[in-house]
Amino acid sequence: MHLHQVSGRSRLGLALSLLTVLLWGLLAIALKIVLQQLDPFTVTWFRFTFAGVVLGGYLAIRRQLPTWQQLKKVSLPVFLVAVVGLSLNYILFVTGLGKTSANNAQVLTQLAPMMMGIASLMIFKEKYNYQQWVGVAILICGLVLFSHEQVRSLVINLNSYMWGNTLLVLGAIVWAFYGLAQKQLLLNLPSTSVLLCLYLSAALLFSPLAQPERLLTLSGMHLLALIFCALNTVIAYGAFAAALEHWEASRVSVILTLAPIVTLTASSILPSFVPQLLSPSPLSFLGWIGAIAVVVGSMTTSLGTNLRN
């Protein structure tokens, strides 16, 4: 089977990956706020519908909507893997988040890019050199230190968190399948067209379970948080898909592991401004040491020179 090849514009791929990290790092906190007044299915349906309408309108204005000739070239099995993987990831993450915390959810979600990176080494024939494997080792050690408090809380509250943690891990697994399918779909369609098809298909899947009338009951801050989540869907996944066009999936996946740093940092700062919506979540000294190790390991892995067959 013919596999997708990157453009080689590594700096652009890095910039797009970092934008994705920033937005995904803040997403868990915004979703936690929204879930105070909305159910997971309505939130997920709104995000996909909003993203589909906005992106579709943008492509229509630029006359870049996918043509029937382009769509016929797309592998249906690969597309189904992508849309089911993305849809399941969204609902599993939001549901699991509602039963745990933003920090905990973001830590467990890092299983997704790590699995995608490992799979891409095998499927897309990407290889790491010695320096990059050292970077991976530093990154893993950093994640362990960085998340030690969250891991400890999981053990202490294992019974109450078990269901939420299970959903988050399952969400991470299906996201890895989505990420690999997304990359393969780029063979026949530009990233914006792929995402448009995914958003509209996923919105259709969730429409029977959504309660749109509940959107009218949202308070000001919760409505702003929901709009941010919807815009996050458009911009973050657009940046992620574009990053895969220019950079190896194994490198993109490593950069995405920086998202917990954004989440925990924001969780430490934002409660000072909106204490009625968020509880403080300070980061310990060991947590900051781990955060620095994650950054160093991520940069070492992603900026090294990949080897190819």
Side-chain angles (χ1 to χ4, degrees), residues 66-76 188-189 193 197:
T67 64
W68 177 243
Q69 287 72 21
Q70 289 177 310
L71 294 176
K72 287 194 299 184
K73 298 178 181 178
V74 173
S75 169
L76 182 58
N188 304 111
L189 287 175
S193 296
C197 295

Side-chain angles (χ1 to χ4, degrees), residues 6 27 31 54 112 115 184 197 201 256 262 273 275 292 301:
V6 298
L27 178 62
L31 282 173
V54 171
M115 286 187 291
Q184 191 62 13
C197 295
S201 299
L256 296 184
V262 177
F273 299 94
I292 294 173
T301 305

Side-chain angles (χ1 to χ4, degrees), residues 41-57 86-87 90 195-208 210-212 215 226 229-231 233-234:
F41 291 103
T42 301
V43 172
T44 304
W45 168 81
F46 180 81
R47 291 176 65 194
F48 280 128
T49 301
F50 181 93
V53 171
V54 171
L55 183 56
L86 183 62
S87 300
Y90 266 54
L195 288 175
L196 176 63
C197 295
L198 291 175
Y199 292 155
L200 295 178
S201 299
L204 185 62
L205 286 175
F206 283 106
S207 57
Q211 302 178 53
L215 299 176
L226 179 63
C229 292
L231 288 172
T233 301
V234 179

